[in-house]
Amino acid sequence: DPLTNTAILDGFTITGGYAGANVNNSGYTCNGGGIYNSYSNAIFRNLVIEDNYASRAGGGIFTMMSKAVFIDSEVKNNSVKTWGGGLDFENNEEEIIVENVIVEGNGANYGGGISIYSTKNIYLKDDTITGNTGTTEGGGIYNEMSAGKIENALIAENQSKTGSAIYVKDTANKN
């Protein structure tokens, strides 16, 4: 039905993206080297997101204030200075689903593979999160003030000073 409020992005590659400018000092213009997803109800499937860069958050994908589904995709070799080398989720009140996604070879200061901040309900299922580097915290996953569930995921061979696989901080404040 073309009259729904759901965007569907299906079956393509995004590579070589760069989100490095900080116009008007809002901070949000430096997010989402590959995809910037904000205030949406979107489905992302059969995508390859690789070799992208952002200076603040979401080297591969940045999602804020949205309901989103990421399925059957690859997020590889993306980088960011601060949050979420592969994927970054911030301030999401609706459900976020990441299912059968390969998150590999990404790098960030916090959450080399995935960074989750102040997100009410995130569900990671059947994902492979390997070979990511979180320089300070969370090689595979960095989770702060968020709630969710991980089911049947492979989280291996990630690197960080603290929490090579998963770093969890202050989850009691988010329900």
Side-chain angles (χ1 to χ4, degrees):
D1 183 351
L3 300 177
T4 67
N5 65 346
T6 301
I8 299 173
L9 287 83
D10 189 357
F12 57 90
T13 297
I14 295 177
T15 187
Y18 178 84
N22 188 2
V23 180
N24 75 15
N25 294 320
S26 70
Y28 291 108
T29 55
C30 340
N31 299 325
I35 294 174
Y36 182 102
N37 177 43
S38 178
Y39 296 94
S40 76
N41 182 17
I43 298 170
F44 302 87
R45 67 178 173 226
N46 302 312
L47 302 180
V48 176
I49 310 299
E50 66 182 336
D51 299 320
N52 299 288
Y53 172 82
S55 63
R56 182 188 170 275
I61 300 169
F62 174 80
T63 295
M64 176 181 80
M65 301 295 291
S66 297
K67 178 178 182 180
V69 176
F70 299 87
I71 188 164
D72 299 330
S73 296
E74 297 179 14
V75 181
K76 300 165 84 173
N77 303 319
N78 300 285
S79 62
V80 67
K81 282 186 182 178
T82 312
W83 308 100
L87 300 105
D88 180 73
F89 302 104
E90 296 184 20
N91 303 311
N92 294 287
E93 291 295 320
E94 300 292 330
E95 184 176 48
I96 302 290
I97 297 171
V98 181
E99 184 174 346
N100 197 32
V101 174
I102 296 169
V103 181
E104 180 180 83
N106 302 288
N109 200 17
Y110 300 92
I114 301 172
S115 176
I116 308 161
Y117 176 80
S118 191
T119 292
K120 190 171 186 175
N121 187 17
I122 187 159
Y123 181 48
L124 305 174
K125 181 180 179 191
D126 299 327
D127 298 310
T128 301
I129 303 168
T130 58
N132 300 289
T133 302
T135 307
T136 303
E137 297 168 342
I141 299 170
Y142 175 90
N143 179 20
E144 182 176 352
M145 292 178 28
S146 300
K149 180 178 180 181
I150 300 173
E151 182 180 325
N152 196 37
L154 171 64
I155 304 171
E157 299 178 17
N158 299 288
Q159 298 179 357
S160 184
K161 288 181 184 176
T162 307
S164 293
I166 302 171
Y167 181 90
V168 178
K169 178 179 179 181
D170 202 15
T171 57
N173 289 336
K174 194 69 178 177
N175 292 316

